[in-house]
Amino acid sequence: MKIEQYIVDAFAERIFEGNPAAICVLERWLPDELMQKIASENNLSETAYLVPAEDTYGLRWFTPNGEIDLCGHATMAAAYVVASYLDAGKTDIAFSTRSGRLTAISKGGIFYIELPAFCLTPVPAPASIVKAIGVEPVETFMGRDMLCVLPTAEDVKAVLPDLNEIASYDGLLFHITARGEDCDCVSRTFAPKCGVPEDAVCGSGHCHIVPYWSGKLRKAELTARQASPRGGTLHCRYANDKVILGGRCVLFSEAVIRL
């Protein structure tokens, strides 16, 4: 068996920026165990699998440690692969996923993906939060993930996380965010439960971050910056409980997996 695989940097202007995702193109779903083994072998934050159908594409996302229900950057990377290789020139793309039907639009070299927003519930910060990130949050929320709002952008950039402590917290991922200096907001994402110490640019994380800052700043359109070592910029809009994320994609590699 041969599987076409593309590695795409999403939310990137050039290679080695943004967040890399492996996109595997299948004729039909493989056994879950095999898809997980491929994801673990790739050892990227996300390996996504595409199965073409009549008017949509089946899409599933796997971290090195397991399948998840939503991934923004791999969805954007999958849209790039469809528009560039599977159905060249296609500008409106639909995916059938565990989070329902997701759509992507390509316009002027930018891909826009529409994702469901997570409802945020205020919660107390964990008792060990200062040990985990070195600073007391201003506010803490729970959606699918935990979101901590820090006093300043510099606080976000300076965090040296205790990943063992973060892994003990509720939620799948752990996000920190603050008001930006030259953008609306900055953030970082840590995902030790998924085998990803720090995610380079997290689309699903912004399904928590964008609703928060949209309400706080009273604006629907935001420019967000992920302050990871690789870094990435997201053009965001929040409307009708949906988060629309825009960014560019760059192809890093094409390969054939032989099984």
PDB file of all heavy atoms in Angstrom, residues 128-160:
ATOM      1  N   SER A 128      -1.843  25.046  41.998  1.00  0.00           N
ATOM      2  CA  SER A 128      -0.407  25.008  41.671  1.00  0.00           C
ATOM      3  C   SER A 128      -0.069  25.833  40.436  1.00  0.00           C
ATOM      4  O   SER A 128       1.003  25.645  39.841  1.00  0.00           O
ATOM      5  CB  SER A 128       0.026  23.559  41.445  1.00  0.00           C
ATOM      6  OG  SER A 128      -0.657  23.014  40.320  1.00  0.00           O
ATOM      7  N   ILE A 129      -0.936  26.772  40.042  1.00  0.00           N
ATOM      8  CA  ILE A 129      -0.751  27.459  38.764  1.00  0.00           C
ATOM      9  C   ILE A 129       0.554  28.247  38.718  1.00  0.00           C
ATOM     10  O   ILE A 129       1.229  28.297  37.682  1.00  0.00           O
ATOM     11  CB  ILE A 129      -1.962  28.370  38.450  1.00  0.00           C
ATOM     12  CG1 ILE A 129      -1.918  28.830  36.986  1.00  0.00           C
ATOM     13  CG2 ILE A 129      -2.029  29.544  39.399  1.00  0.00           C
ATOM     14  CD1 ILE A 129      -2.106  27.748  35.985  1.00  0.00           C
ATOM     15  N   VAL A 130       0.949  28.887  39.823  1.00  0.00           N
ATOM     16  CA  VAL A 130       2.199  29.665  39.812  1.00  0.00           C
ATOM     17  C   VAL A 130       3.392  28.729  39.630  1.00  0.00           C
ATOM     18  O   VAL A 130       4.365  29.066  38.936  1.00  0.00           O
ATOM     19  CB  VAL A 130       2.326  30.514  41.086  1.00  0.00           C
ATOM     20  CG1 VAL A 130       3.684  31.202  41.138  1.00  0.00           C
ATOM     21  CG2 VAL A 130       1.217  31.557  41.140  1.00  0.00           C
ATOM     22  N   LYS A 131       3.325  27.557  40.220  1.00  0.00           N
ATOM     23  CA  LYS A 131       4.381  26.563  39.997  1.00  0.00           C
ATOM     24  C   LYS A 131       4.425  26.151  38.531  1.00  0.00           C
ATOM     25  O   LYS A 131       5.500  25.943  37.957  1.00  0.00           O
ATOM     26  CB  LYS A 131       4.135  25.334  40.873  1.00  0.00           C
ATOM     27  CG  LYS A 131       5.138  24.215  40.642  1.00  0.00           C
ATOM     28  CD  LYS A 131       4.802  22.972  41.443  1.00  0.00           C
ATOM     29  CE  LYS A 131       5.782  21.840  41.117  1.00  0.00           C
ATOM     30  NZ  LYS A 131       5.425  20.567  41.813  1.00  0.00           N
ATOM     31  N   ALA A 132       3.254  26.058  37.907  1.00  0.00           N
ATOM     32  CA  ALA A 132       3.177  25.567  36.531  1.00  0.00           C
ATOM     33  C   ALA A 132       3.653  26.585  35.520  1.00  0.00           C
ATOM     34  O   ALA A 132       4.330  26.241  34.541  1.00  0.00           O
ATOM     35  CB  ALA A 132       1.746  25.141  36.209  1.00  0.00           C
ATOM     36  N   ILE A 133       3.280  27.869  35.716  1.00  0.00           N
ATOM     37  CA  ILE A 133       3.607  28.868  34.685  1.00  0.00           C
ATOM     38  C   ILE A 133       4.321  30.102  35.235  1.00  0.00           C
ATOM     39  O   ILE A 133       4.676  31.004  34.464  1.00  0.00           O
ATOM     40  CB  ILE A 133       2.345  29.308  33.907  1.00  0.00           C
ATOM     41  CG1 ILE A 133       1.303  29.953  34.837  1.00  0.00           C
ATOM     42  CG2 ILE A 133       1.751  28.116  33.162  1.00  0.00           C
ATOM     43  CD1 ILE A 133       0.096  30.533  34.088  1.00  0.00           C
ATOM     44  N   GLY A 134       4.504  30.180  36.551  1.00  0.00           N
ATOM     45  CA  GLY A 134       5.296  31.260  37.122  1.00  0.00           C
ATOM     46  C   GLY A 134       4.562  32.564  37.342  1.00  0.00           C
ATOM     47  O   GLY A 134       5.177  33.557  37.759  1.00  0.00           O
ATOM     48  N   VAL A 135       3.258  32.610  37.101  1.00  0.00           N
ATOM     49  CA  VAL A 135       2.500  33.851  37.251  1.00  0.00           C
ATOM     50  C   VAL A 135       1.050  33.511  37.573  1.00  0.00           C
ATOM     51  O   VAL A 135       0.530  32.478  37.138  1.00  0.00           O
ATOM     52  CB  VAL A 135       2.591  34.712  35.961  1.00  0.00           C
ATOM     53  CG1 VAL A 135       1.993  33.978  34.765  1.00  0.00           C
ATOM     54  CG2 VAL A 135       1.939  36.067  36.145  1.00  0.00           C
ATOM     55  N   GLU A 136       0.397  34.387  38.330  1.00  0.00           N
ATOM     56  CA  GLU A 136      -1.016  34.191  38.678  1.00  0.00           C
ATOM     57  C   GLU A 136      -1.884  34.749  37.554  1.00  0.00           C
ATOM     58  O   GLU A 136      -1.740  35.913  37.164  1.00  0.00           O
ATOM     59  CB  GLU A 136      -1.340  34.918  39.984  1.00  0.00           C
ATOM     60  CG  GLU A 136      -2.718  34.615  40.540  1.00  0.00           C
ATOM     61  CD  GLU A 136      -2.815  33.226  41.143  1.00  0.00           C
ATOM     62  OE1 GLU A 136      -1.832  32.749  41.724  1.00  0.00           O
ATOM     63  OE2 GLU A 136      -3.909  32.629  41.034  1.00  0.00           O
ATOM     64  N   PRO A 137      -2.813  33.954  37.013  1.00  0.00           N
ATOM     65  CA  PRO A 137      -3.694  34.461  35.961  1.00  0.00           C
ATOM     66  C   PRO A 137      -4.646  35.538  36.484  1.00  0.00           C
ATOM     67  O   PRO A 137      -5.014  35.554  37.661  1.00  0.00           O
ATOM     68  CB  PRO A 137      -4.479  33.225  35.523  1.00  0.00           C
ATOM     69  CG  PRO A 137      -3.714  32.054  36.031  1.00  0.00           C
ATOM     70  CD  PRO A 137      -3.027  32.528  37.274  1.00  0.00           C
ATOM     71  N   VAL A 138      -5.049  36.412  35.587  1.00  0.00           N
ATOM     72  CA  VAL A 138      -6.087  37.393  35.886  1.00  0.00           C
ATOM     73  C   VAL A 138      -7.450  36.716  35.905  1.00  0.00           C
ATOM     74  O   VAL A 138      -8.297  36.996  36.752  1.00  0.00           O
ATOM     75  CB  VAL A 138      -6.067  38.526  34.839  1.00  0.00           C
ATOM     76  CG1 VAL A 138      -7.198  39.515  35.081  1.00  0.00           C
ATOM     77  CG2 VAL A 138      -4.722  39.230  34.842  1.00  0.00           C
ATOM     78  N   GLU A 139      -7.659  35.800  34.954  1.00  0.00           N
ATOM     79  CA  GLU A 139      -8.899  35.027  34.859  1.00  0.00           C
ATOM     80  C   GLU A 139      -8.554  33.644  34.336  1.00  0.00           C
ATOM     81  O   GLU A 139      -7.565  33.460  33.623  1.00  0.00           O
ATOM     82  CB  GLU A 139      -9.892  35.687  33.891  1.00  0.00           C
ATOM     83  CG  GLU A 139     -10.385  37.060  34.301  1.00  0.00           C
ATOM     84  CD  GLU A 139     -11.306  37.659  33.250  1.00  0.00           C
ATOM     85  OE1 GLU A 139     -10.780  38.229  32.267  1.00  0.00           O
ATOM     86  OE2 GLU A 139     -12.538  37.555  33.396  1.00  0.00           O
ATOM     87  N   THR A 140      -9.405  32.675  34.677  1.00  0.00           N
ATOM     88  CA  THR A 140      -9.238  31.301  34.195  1.00  0.00           C
ATOM     89  C   THR A 140     -10.591  30.778  33.740  1.00  0.00           C
ATOM     90  O   THR A 140     -11.612  30.999  34.401  1.00  0.00           O
ATOM     91  CB  THR A 140      -8.659  30.391  35.297  1.00  0.00           C
ATOM     92  OG1 THR A 140      -7.420  30.937  35.759  1.00  0.00           O
ATOM     93  CG2 THR A 140      -8.421  28.983  34.776  1.00  0.00           C
ATOM     94  N   PHE A 141     -10.591  30.074  32.600  1.00  0.00           N
ATOM     95  CA  PHE A 141     -11.831  29.549  32.022  1.00  0.00           C
ATOM     96  C   PHE A 141     -11.620  28.103  31.599  1.00  0.00           C
ATOM     97  O   PHE A 141     -10.502  27.653  31.338  1.00  0.00           O
ATOM     98  CB  PHE A 141     -12.244  30.371  30.792  1.00  0.00           C
ATOM     99  CG  PHE A 141     -12.539  31.815  31.093  1.00  0.00           C
ATOM    100  CD1 PHE A 141     -11.524  32.764  31.028  1.00  0.00           C
ATOM    101  CD2 PHE A 141     -13.821  32.218  31.426  1.00  0.00           C
ATOM    102  CE1 PHE A 141     -11.784  34.102  31.297  1.00  0.00           C
ATOM    103  CE2 PHE A 141     -14.098  33.548  31.690  1.00  0.00           C
ATOM    104  CZ  PHE A 141     -13.069  34.489  31.629  1.00  0.00           C
ATOM    105  N   MET A 142     -12.758  27.385  31.483  1.00  0.00           N
ATOM    106  CA  MET A 142     -12.739  26.026  30.968  1.00  0.00           C
ATOM    107  C   MET A 142     -13.698  25.920  29.794  1.00  0.00           C
ATOM    108  O   MET A 142     -14.864  26.335  29.888  1.00  0.00           O
ATOM    109  CB  MET A 142     -13.130  25.022  32.051  1.00  0.00           C
ATOM    110  CG  MET A 142     -13.094  23.569  31.583  1.00  0.00           C
ATOM    111  SD  MET A 142     -11.440  23.032  31.082  1.00  0.00           S
ATOM    112  CE  MET A 142     -10.564  23.127  32.643  1.00  0.00           C
ATOM    113  N   GLY A 143     -13.195  25.422  28.673  1.00  0.00           N
ATOM    114  CA  GLY A 143     -14.021  25.022  27.546  1.00  0.00           C
ATOM    115  C   GLY A 143     -13.720  23.559  27.315  1.00  0.00           C
ATOM    116  O   GLY A 143     -13.821  22.742  28.224  1.00  0.00           O
ATOM    117  N   ARG A 144     -13.331  23.200  26.101  1.00  0.00           N
ATOM    118  CA  ARG A 144     -12.735  21.877  25.944  1.00  0.00           C
ATOM    119  C   ARG A 144     -11.395  21.851  26.655  1.00  0.00           C
ATOM    120  O   ARG A 144     -10.979  20.831  27.219  1.00  0.00           O
ATOM    121  CB  ARG A 144     -12.532  21.561  24.453  1.00  0.00           C
ATOM    122  CG  ARG A 144     -11.905  20.184  24.189  1.00  0.00           C
ATOM    123  CD  ARG A 144     -11.352  20.036  22.792  1.00  0.00           C
ATOM    124  NE  ARG A 144     -10.169  20.871  22.567  1.00  0.00           N
ATOM    125  CZ  ARG A 144      -9.480  20.880  21.427  1.00  0.00           C
ATOM    126  NH1 ARG A 144      -9.864  20.121  20.415  1.00  0.00           N
ATOM    127  NH2 ARG A 144      -8.425  21.661  21.303  1.00  0.00           N
ATOM    128  N   ASP A 145     -10.711  23.015  26.630  1.00  0.00           N
ATOM    129  CA  ASP A 145      -9.384  23.188  27.210  1.00  0.00           C
ATOM    130  C   ASP A 145      -9.435  24.207  28.349  1.00  0.00           C
ATOM    131  O   ASP A 145     -10.433  24.906  28.522  1.00  0.00           O
ATOM    132  CB  ASP A 145      -8.408  23.703  26.143  1.00  0.00           C
ATOM    133  CG  ASP A 145      -8.475  22.928  24.835  1.00  0.00           C
ATOM    134  OD1 ASP A 145      -8.780  21.719  24.883  1.00  0.00           O
ATOM    135  OD2 ASP A 145      -8.230  23.541  23.776  1.00  0.00           O
ATOM    136  N   MET A 146      -8.343  24.320  29.082  1.00  0.00           N
ATOM    137  CA  MET A 146      -8.211  25.375  30.082  1.00  0.00           C
ATOM    138  C   MET A 146      -7.571  26.599  29.434  1.00  0.00           C
ATOM    139  O   MET A 146      -6.611  26.486  28.668  1.00  0.00           O
ATOM    140  CB  MET A 146      -7.366  24.900  31.265  1.00  0.00           C
ATOM    141  CG  MET A 146      -7.248  25.946  32.382  1.00  0.00           C
ATOM    142  SD  MET A 146      -6.454  25.285  33.884  1.00  0.00           S
ATOM    143  CE  MET A 146      -7.762  24.218  34.512  1.00  0.00           C
ATOM    144  N   LEU A 147      -8.110  27.780  29.745  1.00  0.00           N
ATOM    145  CA  LEU A 147      -7.610  29.049  29.231  1.00  0.00           C
ATOM    146  C   LEU A 147      -7.289  29.962  30.406  1.00  0.00           C
ATOM    147  O   LEU A 147      -8.164  30.260  31.218  1.00  0.00           O
ATOM    148  CB  LEU A 147      -8.659  29.707  28.328  1.00  0.00           C
ATOM    149  CG  LEU A 147      -8.350  31.128  27.848  1.00  0.00           C
ATOM    150  CD1 LEU A 147      -7.148  31.128  26.905  1.00  0.00           C
ATOM    151  CD2 LEU A 147      -9.573  31.741  27.160  1.00  0.00           C
ATOM    152  N   CYS A 148      -6.035  30.413  30.476  1.00  0.00           N
ATOM    153  CA  CYS A 148      -5.614  31.345  31.523  1.00  0.00           C
ATOM    154  C   CYS A 148      -5.242  32.681  30.884  1.00  0.00           C
ATOM    155  O   CYS A 148      -4.419  32.723  29.955  1.00  0.00           O
ATOM    156  CB  CYS A 148      -4.420  30.793  32.291  1.00  0.00           C
ATOM    157  SG  CYS A 148      -4.810  29.392  33.363  1.00  0.00           S
ATOM    158  N   VAL A 149      -5.836  33.754  31.392  1.00  0.00           N
ATOM    159  CA  VAL A 149      -5.542  35.107  30.921  1.00  0.00           C
ATOM    160  C   VAL A 149      -4.482  35.709  31.832  1.00  0.00           C
ATOM    161  O   VAL A 149      -4.683  35.803  33.049  1.00  0.00           O
ATOM    162  CB  VAL A 149      -6.805  35.979  30.914  1.00  0.00           C
ATOM    163  CG1 VAL A 149      -6.499  37.364  30.356  1.00  0.00           C
ATOM    164  CG2 VAL A 149      -7.921  35.302  30.108  1.00  0.00           C
ATOM    165  N   LEU A 150      -3.347  36.103  31.268  1.00  0.00           N
ATOM    166  CA  LEU A 150      -2.236  36.629  32.042  1.00  0.00           C
ATOM    167  C   LEU A 150      -2.208  38.159  31.977  1.00  0.00           C
ATOM    168  O   LEU A 150      -2.822  38.763  31.101  1.00  0.00           O
ATOM    169  CB  LEU A 150      -0.914  36.050  31.532  1.00  0.00           C
ATOM    170  CG  LEU A 150      -0.799  34.518  31.501  1.00  0.00           C
ATOM    171  CD1 LEU A 150       0.642  34.097  31.254  1.00  0.00           C
ATOM    172  CD2 LEU A 150      -1.335  33.873  32.771  1.00  0.00           C
ATOM    173  N   PRO A 151      -1.486  38.799  32.919  1.00  0.00           N
ATOM    174  CA  PRO A 151      -1.499  40.266  32.976  1.00  0.00           C
ATOM    175  C   PRO A 151      -0.970  40.952  31.722  1.00  0.00           C
ATOM    176  O   PRO A 151      -1.529  41.955  31.274  1.00  0.00           O
ATOM    177  CB  PRO A 151      -0.626  40.575  34.196  1.00  0.00           C
ATOM    178  CG  PRO A 151      -0.732  39.348  35.056  1.00  0.00           C
ATOM    179  CD  PRO A 151      -0.823  38.212  34.095  1.00  0.00           C
ATOM    180  N   THR A 152       0.132  40.446  31.136  1.00  0.00           N
ATOM    181  CA  THR A 152       0.743  41.136  30.004  1.00  0.00           C
ATOM    182  C   THR A 152       1.226  40.146  28.949  1.00  0.00           C
ATOM    183  O   THR A 152       1.429  38.950  29.216  1.00  0.00           O
ATOM    184  CB  THR A 152       1.957  41.982  30.443  1.00  0.00           C
ATOM    185  OG1 THR A 152       3.027  41.100  30.829  1.00  0.00           O
ATOM    186  CG2 THR A 152       1.606  42.903  31.600  1.00  0.00           C
ATOM    187  N   ALA A 153       1.475  40.683  27.744  1.00  0.00           N
ATOM    188  CA  ALA A 153       2.038  39.867  26.666  1.00  0.00           C
ATOM    189  C   ALA A 153       3.418  39.350  27.040  1.00  0.00           C
ATOM    190  O   ALA A 153       3.789  38.213  26.690  1.00  0.00           O
ATOM    191  CB  ALA A 153       2.101  40.681  25.387  1.00  0.00           C
ATOM    192  N   GLU A 154       4.195  40.155  27.751  1.00  0.00           N
ATOM    193  CA  GLU A 154       5.523  39.714  28.178  1.00  0.00           C
ATOM    194  C   GLU A 154       5.445  38.535  29.128  1.00  0.00           C
ATOM    195  O   GLU A 154       6.311  37.654  29.113  1.00  0.00           O
ATOM    196  CB  GLU A 154       6.292  40.875  28.813  1.00  0.00           C
ATOM    197  CG  GLU A 154       6.785  41.897  27.813  1.00  0.00           C
ATOM    198  CD  GLU A 154       7.616  41.285  26.698  1.00  0.00           C
ATOM    199  OE1 GLU A 154       8.507  40.455  27.014  1.00  0.00           O
ATOM    200  OE2 GLU A 154       7.382  41.616  25.521  1.00  0.00           O
ATOM    201  N   ASP A 155       4.406  38.509  29.969  1.00  0.00           N
ATOM    202  CA  ASP A 155       4.211  37.360  30.857  1.00  0.00           C
ATOM    203  C   ASP A 155       3.999  36.086  30.042  1.00  0.00           C
ATOM    204  O   ASP A 155       4.515  35.016  30.387  1.00  0.00           O
ATOM    205  CB  ASP A 155       3.003  37.586  31.773  1.00  0.00           C
ATOM    206  CG  ASP A 155       3.257  38.652  32.825  1.00  0.00           C
ATOM    207  OD1 ASP A 155       4.402  38.752  33.295  1.00  0.00           O
ATOM    208  OD2 ASP A 155       2.300  39.377  33.165  1.00  0.00           O
ATOM    209  N   VAL A 156       3.215  36.197  28.965  1.00  0.00           N
ATOM    210  CA  VAL A 156       2.960  35.034  28.098  1.00  0.00           C
ATOM    211  C   VAL A 156       4.260  34.542  27.479  1.00  0.00           C
ATOM    212  O   VAL A 156       4.567  33.343  27.486  1.00  0.00           O
ATOM    213  CB  VAL A 156       1.934  35.395  27.002  1.00  0.00           C
ATOM    214  CG1 VAL A 156       1.832  34.270  25.962  1.00  0.00           C
ATOM    215  CG2 VAL A 156       0.571  35.669  27.611  1.00  0.00           C
ATOM    216  N   LYS A 157       5.042  35.452  26.951  1.00  0.00           N
ATOM    217  CA  LYS A 157       6.280  35.083  26.266  1.00  0.00           C
ATOM    218  C   LYS A 157       7.319  34.510  27.217  1.00  0.00           C
ATOM    219  O   LYS A 157       8.154  33.678  26.824  1.00  0.00           O
ATOM    220  CB  LYS A 157       6.846  36.303  25.536  1.00  0.00           C
ATOM    221  CG  LYS A 157       5.943  36.832  24.429  1.00  0.00           C
ATOM    222  CD  LYS A 157       6.455  38.154  23.874  1.00  0.00           C
ATOM    223  CE  LYS A 157       5.493  38.738  22.854  1.00  0.00           C
ATOM    224  NZ  LYS A 157       5.941  40.069  22.352  1.00  0.00           N
ATOM    225  N   ALA A 158       7.277  34.926  28.482  1.00  0.00           N
ATOM    226  CA  ALA A 158       8.321  34.532  29.435  1.00  0.00           C
ATOM    227  C   ALA A 158       8.064  33.194  30.113  1.00  0.00           C
ATOM    228  O   ALA A 158       8.944  32.668  30.795  1.00  0.00           O
ATOM    229  CB  ALA A 158       8.472  35.618  30.506  1.00  0.00           C
ATOM    230  N   VAL A 159       6.868  32.614  29.945  1.00  0.00           N
ATOM    231  CA  VAL A 159       6.520  31.387  30.670  1.00  0.00           C
ATOM    232  C   VAL A 159       7.450  30.237  30.291  1.00  0.00           C
ATOM    233  O   VAL A 159       7.695  29.956  29.111  1.00  0.00           O
ATOM    234  CB  VAL A 159       5.056  30.998  30.393  1.00  0.00           C
ATOM    235  CG1 VAL A 159       4.782  29.550  30.801  1.00  0.00           C
ATOM    236  CG2 VAL A 159       4.116  31.932  31.145  1.00  0.00           C
ATOM    237  N   LEU A 160       7.982  29.581  31.337  1.00  0.00           N
ATOM    238  CA  LEU A 160       8.716  28.326  31.205  1.00  0.00           C
ATOM    239  C   LEU A 160       7.854  27.260  31.886  1.00  0.00           C
ATOM    240  O   LEU A 160       7.889  27.109  33.105  1.00  0.00           O
ATOM    241  CB  LEU A 160      10.090  28.427  31.863  1.00  0.00           C
ATOM    242  CG  LEU A 160      11.042  29.482  31.269  1.00  0.00           C
ATOM    243  CD1 LEU A 160      12.303  29.592  32.119  1.00  0.00           C
ATOM    244  CD2 LEU A 160      11.393  29.118  29.833  1.00  0.00           C
TER     245      LEU A 160
END
